[in-house]
Amino acid sequence: MTTADTPKTPKPPPKSARRRAREFALQGLYQWRLKANDAAAIEAHLPELEGYAKADQEFCLALLRGVMRHSDDLSTLITPHLDRPIGELSPIEACILLQGAFELQQFAETPYRVIINESIELAKTFGGSEGHKYINGVLDKLAVGMRAAEVEARKQVR
């Protein structure tokens, strides 16, 4: 088989500015959780990262600051849906769940399924091999309580 005969793998679609923002916010939250870096240090580092200019920077900072500011309240929301204490989750899974919970709570204009799907993609990219399933299950349960009308409306459409 020649290289001309080799099937080409299709390129993935370009990432949206919001997807990039979620990725950068997650990276900042990971730094915060592991190294206890403060928001100012993390925010100062973000522009140095490749691709940050293509991200929705305002959204990224809203996620980062919001999760850091409200992490205790978000942990309280998430905890009833966990099978172990949040401190025992991998740092990536914990950060994705906090970020997803914050987005469900504060960004009502974003459909809950979009938030969950984006969180699953983050887990597939940055987390362990089965972490995305856990993220899906927890955020699905959380959405039922936080976005009950939206979840019910979606069921009616099916």
Side-chain angles (χ1 to χ4, degrees), residues 74-84 89 97 101 134-146:
L74 295 168
S75 294
T76 300
L77 283 171
I78 295 167
T79 296
H81 307 292
L82 301 177
D83 61 355
R84 57 192 178 268
L89 297 176
L97 288 172
Y134 190 74
I135 298 296
N136 185 28
V138 172
L139 291 180
D140 269 342
K141 292 173 190 168
L142 194 59
V144 168
M146 294 177 77

Side-chain angles (χ1 to χ4, degrees), residues 5-130:
D5 297 332
T6 306
K8 293 187 179 185
T9 305
K11 283 178 114 176
K15 293 179 185 178
S16 71
R18 281 239 163 165
R19 161 101 23 115
R20 289 175 188 273
R22 289 180 180 98
E23 289 178 352
F24 288 114
L26 177 61
Q27 291 174 46
L29 291 171
Y30 183 78
Q31 287 179 20
W32 168 69
R33 190 155 177 101
L34 283 188
K35 298 179 183 177
N37 288 354
D38 66 1
I42 293 167
E43 288 179 33
H45 175 70
L46 286 174
E48 299 170 9
L49 299 175
E50 184 179 338
Y52 185 69
K54 294 180 182 178
D56 180 338
Q57 295 171 25
E58 185 177 319
F59 181 60
C60 175
L61 294 176
L63 290 174
L64 181 65
R65 292 171 182 163
V67 171
M68 291 172 74
R69 186 176 305 119
H70 301 288
S71 64
D72 290 340
D73 294 335
L74 295 168
S75 294
T76 300
L77 283 171
I78 295 167
T79 296
H81 307 292
L82 301 177
D83 61 355
R84 57 192 178 268
I86 196 164
E88 292 180 14
L89 297 176
S90 81
I92 286 291
E93 288 176 355
C95 290
I96 292 170
L97 288 172
L98 291 169
Q99 185 171 308
F102 180 75
E103 199 172 345
L104 283 169
Q105 185 181 64
Q106 298 297 319
F107 292 89
E109 70 278 5
T110 306
Y112 82 97
R113 287 303 316 157
V114 170
I115 295 167
I116 293 172
N117 288 337
E118 290 288 316
S119 298
I120 290 168
E121 291 304 316
L122 288 172
K124 286 179 179 178
T125 301
F126 297 101
S129 61
E130 298 296 315

Side-chain angles (χ1 to χ4, degrees), residues 139-157:
L139 291 180
D140 269 342
K141 292 173 190 168
L142 194 59
V144 168
M146 294 177 77
R147 302 258 191 113
E150 186 181 350
V151 171
E152 190 57 36
R154 181 174 165 85
K155 286 180 185 177
Q156 300 302 322
V157 174

